[in-house]
Amino acid sequence: KQEVTQIPAALSVPEGENLVLNCSFTDSAIYNLQWFRQDPGKGLTSLLLIQSSQREQTSGRLNASLDKSSGRSTLYIAASQPGDSATYLCAVRLNFGNEKLTFGTGTRLTIIP
Amino acid sequence: DAGVTQSPTHLIKTRGQQVTLRCSPKSGHDTVSWYQQALGQGPQFIFQYYEEEERQRGNFPDRFSGHQFPNYSSELNVNALLLGDSALYLCASSDRHTGYSGNTIYFGEGSWLTVV
């Protein structure tokens, strides 16, 4: 059974700092991994999708890496801003045609102005 | 292009009642999945529909049922509501036939259900 863990559960950093969020999964046979952002009381916004054959994906100040063999992914946020404050969730998908996502419990990020 | 839309956004029900939540997938998407997210937890997969049939199910009791219509929209029904069913219910849509590079799953804003 696939299990996804995100550590730490909460993180506070001063504005302008670079930071890394971690995600680990127990079964390395994944199809892809997706990072989401969730604002309080809201739905999920997709940030980055990394296919199993890829090592990283970048979008603006965000960079996500994937090491499938070790069951790990990181989300790097450069030059953090107060607007980055949210909960960040990672989710893995097992195979093409299987739309089920298995989520971690998320990291609640607070950027201090 | 409208994304995934869900209704209602908030509702309050009494224990033992039944509730129906609705979802319209993103344009061009044919697959709908439902997730339950309790406070402080990650979303948990309930089930998935495509071609108007339930294709995959998570670890949820039969009180949770669903339906998909020919226009790909979907409903989630929960019978005999329990206090523990209070959660954010998220709908996700995707296109099963999209190629390797484009197969992102999109979520709606969710429906907040409170059972009292």
Side-chain angles (χ1 to χ4, degrees):
Chain A
K1 178 188 170 186
Q2 178 74 270
E3 293 183 1
V4 181
T5 304
Q6 292 185 248
I7 295 173
L11 180 66
S12 293
V13 299
E15 180 179 0
E17 284 199 0
N18 304 324
L19 60 100
V20 174
L21 306 180
N22 298 297
C23 171
S24 60
F25 45 95
T26 54
D27 186 346
S28 62
I30 65 169
Y31 176 64
N32 62 34
L33 183 146
Q34 202 164 346
W35 281 93
F36 294 90
R37 168 187 172 134
Q38 186 173 33
D39 293 297
K42 300 293 187 180
L44 307 182
T45 301
S46 179
L47 297 173
L48 288 165
L49 172 74
I50 311 179
Q51 302 292 353
S52 60
S53 60
Q54 297 174 325
R55 293 300 297 256
E56 65 179 74
Q57 282 286 333
T58 298
S59 176
R61 295 182 294 107
L62 305 180
N63 175 278
S65 68
L66 175 64
D67 183 343
K68 207 174 75 158
S69 61
S70 68
R72 294 184 181 183
S73 176
T74 61
L75 179 66
Y76 174 84
I77 302 177
S80 59
Q81 304 170 357
D84 295 330
S85 297
T87 295
Y88 291 80
L89 294 148
C90 69
V92 299
R93 190 170 153 198
L94 283 183
N95 44 55
F96 182 73
N98 181 347
E99 311 295 292
K100 173 186 173 181
L101 295 177
T102 301
F103 282 86
T105 53
T107 294
R108 189 174 70 252
L109 176 65
T110 302
I111 306 300
I112 305 165
Chain B
D1 174 25
V4 181
T5 58
Q6 292 186 242
S7 64
T9 54
H10 294 81
L11 69 167
I12 300 174
K13 291 285 188 178
T14 303
R15 274 180 300 175
Q17 284 188 319
Q18 179 263 346
V19 67
T20 297
L21 308 177
R22 296 176 177 82
C23 172
S24 292
K26 182 177 169 61
S27 177
H29 285 184
D30 62 353
T31 299
V32 173
S33 301
W34 287 92
Y35 290 78
Q36 180 195 65
Q37 186 179 22
L39 210 59
Q41 301 297 315
Q44 298 292 313
F45 176 78
I46 303 175
F47 43 53
Q48 172 192 116
Y49 279 82
Y50 60 85
E51 295 178 355
E52 302 179 48
E53 291 190 17
E54 181 181 302
R55 300 293 181 171
Q56 206 179 169
R57 189 178 184 94
N59 189 25
F60 280 81
D62 291 345
R63 298 186 298 108
F64 290 76
S65 64
H67 188 77
Q68 186 179 36
F69 300 93
N71 67 353
Y72 307 121
S73 66
S74 175
E75 288 182 350
L76 164 65
N77 301 293
V78 186
N79 295 321
L81 285 167
L82 304 174
L83 295 179
D85 295 331
S86 295
L88 177 66
Y89 288 85
L90 294 163
C91 172
S93 80
S94 58
D95 178 359
R96 291 174 52 245
H97 303 99
T98 299
Y100 182 77
S101 63
N103 199 230
T104 300
I105 296 175
Y106 294 87
F107 282 78
E109 290 293 306
S111 294
W112 275 105
L113 171 65
T114 301
V115 182
V116 297

